[in-house]
Tab-separated table of all heavy atoms in Angstrom:
chain	number	residue	atom	x	y	z
A	43	PHE	N	16.349	31.189	-30.403
A	43	PHE	CA	15.357	32.186	-30.479
A	43	PHE	C	15.887	33.596	-30.818
A	43	PHE	O	15.339	34.351	-31.586
A	43	PHE	CB	14.514	32.162	-29.176
A	43	PHE	CG	13.244	33.010	-29.229
A	43	PHE	CD1	12.222	32.629	-30.111
A	43	PHE	CD2	13.055	34.097	-28.400
A	43	PHE	CE1	11.027	33.358	-30.153
A	43	PHE	CE2	11.909	34.816	-28.458
A	43	PHE	CZ	10.878	34.525	-29.326
A	44	ASP	N	17.028	33.892	-30.196
A	44	ASP	CA	17.649	35.213	-30.509
A	44	ASP	C	18.101	35.240	-32.000
A	44	ASP	O	17.948	36.275	-32.660
A	44	ASP	CB	18.926	35.393	-29.643
A	44	ASP	CG	18.485	35.604	-28.167
A	44	ASP	OD1	17.339	35.932	-27.909
A	44	ASP	OD2	19.378	35.398	-27.289
A	47	PRO	N	14.049	33.881	-34.509
A	47	PRO	CA	12.770	33.641	-33.825
A	47	PRO	C	11.649	33.079	-34.689
A	47	PRO	O	10.799	32.332	-34.196
A	47	PRO	CB	12.389	35.020	-33.286
A	47	PRO	CG	13.244	36.004	-33.999
A	47	PRO	CD	14.455	35.287	-34.473
A	51	HIS	N	9.258	30.051	-33.725
A	51	HIS	CA	7.844	30.186	-33.640
A	51	HIS	C	7.153	29.126	-34.540
A	51	HIS	O	6.173	28.474	-34.143
A	51	HIS	CB	7.425	31.579	-34.096
A	51	HIS	CG	7.507	32.606	-33.017
A	51	HIS	ND1	7.079	32.374	-31.729
A	51	HIS	CD2	7.969	33.845	-33.009
A	51	HIS	CE1	7.283	33.493	-30.981
A	51	HIS	NE2	7.862	34.402	-31.753
A	113	ARG	N	4.908	33.632	-23.102
A	113	ARG	CA	5.511	34.410	-22.024
A	113	ARG	C	6.112	35.676	-22.677
A	113	ARG	O	6.700	35.586	-23.758
A	113	ARG	CB	6.606	33.619	-21.345
A	113	ARG	CG	7.157	34.256	-20.139
A	113	ARG	CD	8.417	33.560	-19.569
A	113	ARG	NE	8.434	32.181	-19.721
A	113	ARG	CZ	9.587	31.526	-19.829
A	113	ARG	NH1	10.779	32.213	-19.756
A	113	ARG	NH2	9.679	30.189	-20.027
A	114	CYS	N	5.906	36.821	-22.007
A	114	CYS	CA	6.499	38.067	-22.557
A	114	CYS	C	7.903	38.269	-21.975
A	114	CYS	O	8.055	38.134	-20.736
A	114	CYS	CB	5.623	39.290	-22.154
A	114	CYS	SG	6.328	40.889	-22.657
A	115	VAL	N	8.919	38.388	-22.775
A	115	VAL	CA	10.286	38.474	-22.286
A	115	VAL	C	10.537	39.827	-21.606
A	115	VAL	O	11.520	40.008	-20.867
A	115	VAL	CB	11.357	38.293	-23.420
A	115	VAL	CG1	11.193	36.881	-23.986
A	115	VAL	CG2	11.213	39.335	-24.489
A	116	GLN	N	9.637	40.792	-21.725
A	116	GLN	CA	9.763	42.079	-21.071
A	116	GLN	C	9.076	42.155	-19.730
A	116	GLN	O	9.662	42.374	-18.718
A	116	GLN	CB	9.231	43.223	-21.995
A	116	GLN	CG	10.101	43.440	-23.267
A	116	GLN	CD	11.491	43.924	-22.871
A	116	GLN	OE1	11.740	44.701	-21.879
A	116	GLN	NE2	12.491	43.489	-23.593
A	127	LEU	N	1.895	31.984	-32.765
A	127	LEU	CA	2.668	33.114	-32.222
A	127	LEU	C	3.518	33.651	-33.336
A	127	LEU	O	4.169	32.834	-34.049
A	127	LEU	CB	3.534	32.642	-31.043
A	127	LEU	CG	3.112	32.960	-29.592
A	127	LEU	CD1	4.242	32.555	-28.680
A	127	LEU	CD2	2.801	34.419	-29.424
A	128	THR	N	3.620	34.944	-33.536
A	128	THR	CA	4.518	35.481	-34.578
A	128	THR	C	5.274	36.703	-33.936
A	128	THR	O	5.015	37.087	-32.864
A	128	THR	CB	3.763	36.001	-35.763
A	128	THR	OG1	3.040	37.209	-35.403
A	128	THR	CG2	2.732	34.973	-36.284
A	129	LEU	N	6.173	37.222	-34.778
A	129	LEU	CA	6.913	38.442	-34.276
A	129	LEU	C	6.004	39.657	-34.188
A	129	LEU	O	6.327	40.632	-33.534
A	129	LEU	CB	8.088	38.727	-35.276
A	129	LEU	CG	9.311	37.801	-35.132
A	129	LEU	CD1	10.395	38.204	-36.048
A	129	LEU	CD2	9.788	37.767	-33.650
A	130	GLU	N	4.861	39.556	-34.841
A	130	GLU	CA	3.898	40.705	-34.838
A	130	GLU	C	2.967	40.574	-33.620
A	130	GLU	O	2.165	41.509	-33.375
A	130	GLU	CB	3.113	40.775	-36.098
A	130	GLU	CG	3.881	41.241	-37.356
A	130	GLU	CD	4.872	40.194	-37.743
A	130	GLU	OE1	4.461	38.994	-37.921
A	130	GLU	OE2	6.096	40.487	-37.935
A	131	SER	N	3.030	39.414	-32.934
A	131	SER	CA	2.065	39.235	-31.803
A	131	SER	C	2.306	40.314	-30.704
A	131	SER	O	3.479	40.700	-30.434
A	131	SER	CB	2.255	37.848	-31.183
A	131	SER	OG	2.046	36.886	-32.163
A	132	ILE	N	1.245	40.779	-30.137
A	132	ILE	CA	1.359	41.853	-29.097
A	132	ILE	C	1.074	41.305	-27.694
A	132	ILE	O	0.128	40.588	-27.541
A	132	ILE	CB	0.305	42.971	-29.412
A	132	ILE	CG1	0.531	43.571	-30.818
A	132	ILE	CG2	0.324	44.084	-28.363
A	132	ILE	CD1	-0.548	44.487	-31.299
A	133	CYS	N	1.840	41.688	-26.736
A	133	CYS	CA	1.649	41.248	-25.344
A	133	CYS	C	0.393	41.940	-24.823
A	133	CYS	O	0.276	43.174	-24.883
A	133	CYS	CB	2.863	41.621	-24.471
A	133	CYS	SG	2.533	41.269	-22.726
A	134	GLY	N	-0.557	41.097	-24.358
A	134	GLY	CA	-1.826	41.633	-23.885
A	134	GLY	C	-1.674	42.384	-22.513
A	134	GLY	O	-2.582	43.092	-22.039
A	136	CYS	N	1.646	44.186	-21.385
A	136	CYS	CA	2.428	45.444	-21.511
A	136	CYS	C	2.287	46.064	-22.874
A	136	CYS	O	2.873	47.124	-23.157
A	136	CYS	CB	3.921	45.166	-21.227
A	136	CYS	SG	4.712	44.131	-22.442
A	137	GLU	N	1.543	45.369	-23.795
A	137	GLU	CA	1.191	45.915	-25.144
A	137	GLU	C	2.424	46.129	-26.048
A	137	GLU	O	2.369	46.867	-27.014
A	137	GLU	CB	0.397	47.209	-25.019
A	137	GLU	CG	-0.961	46.881	-24.345
A	137	GLU	CD	-1.864	48.130	-24.136
A	137	GLU	OE1	-1.378	49.261	-24.425
A	137	GLU	OE2	-3.002	47.905	-23.694
A	138	ARG	N	3.568	45.495	-25.704
A	138	ARG	CA	4.737	45.583	-26.541
A	138	ARG	C	4.547	44.600	-27.714
A	138	ARG	O	3.865	43.532	-27.599
A	138	ARG	CB	6.000	45.227	-25.806
A	138	ARG	CG	6.466	46.321	-24.778
A	138	ARG	CD	7.816	45.880	-24.193
A	138	ARG	NE	8.313	46.881	-23.264
A	138	ARG	CZ	8.083	46.846	-21.942
A	138	ARG	NH1	7.264	45.911	-21.443
A	138	ARG	NH2	8.599	47.732	-21.149
A	139	VAL	N	5.166	44.887	-28.862
A	139	VAL	CA	5.133	43.992	-30.008
A	139	VAL	C	6.446	43.231	-30.116
A	139	VAL	O	7.527	43.776	-29.814
A	139	VAL	CB	4.922	44.794	-31.328
A	139	VAL	CG1	4.936	43.913	-32.534
A	139	VAL	CG2	3.707	45.629	-31.227
A	140	GLY	N	6.295	41.906	-30.428
A	140	GLY	CA	7.531	41.127	-30.723
A	140	GLY	C	8.265	40.702	-29.520
A	140	GLY	O	9.413	40.238	-29.564
A	141	THR	N	7.625	40.749	-28.323
A	141	THR	CA	8.396	40.343	-27.098
A	141	THR	C	7.830	39.002	-26.587
A	141	THR	O	8.159	38.562	-25.455
A	141	THR	CB	8.157	41.353	-25.972
A	141	THR	OG1	6.704	41.488	-25.786
A	141	THR	CG2	8.688	42.767	-26.399
A	142	LEU	N	6.979	38.322	-27.408
A	142	LEU	CA	6.372	37.081	-26.886
A	142	LEU	C	7.162	35.813	-27.331
A	142	LEU	O	7.614	35.742	-28.499
A	142	LEU	CB	4.956	37.001	-27.385
A	142	LEU	CG	4.072	38.087	-26.808
A	142	LEU	CD1	2.675	38.047	-27.503
A	142	LEU	CD2	3.860	37.894	-25.320
A	143	ARG	N	7.341	34.831	-26.424
A	143	ARG	CA	8.003	33.583	-26.727
A	143	ARG	C	7.112	32.449	-26.254
A	143	ARG	O	6.239	32.676	-25.335
A	143	ARG	CB	9.359	33.478	-26.076
A	143	ARG	CG	9.332	33.548	-24.620
A	143	ARG	CD	10.692	33.176	-24.004
A	143	ARG	NE	10.772	31.739	-23.816
A	143	ARG	CZ	11.861	31.115	-23.249
A	143	ARG	NH1	12.902	31.854	-22.863
A	143	ARG	NH2	11.879	29.827	-23.137
Side-chain angles (χ1 to χ4, degrees):
F43 191 62
D44 291 341
H51 278 316
R113 189 190 329 154
C114 177
V115 298
Q116 289 298 325
L127 257 187
T128 71
L129 283 183
E130 290 69 48
S131 301
I132 300 171
C133 174
C136 69
E137 296 178 355
R138 288 185 179 91
V139 178
T141 59
L142 294 172
R143 61 169 274 184

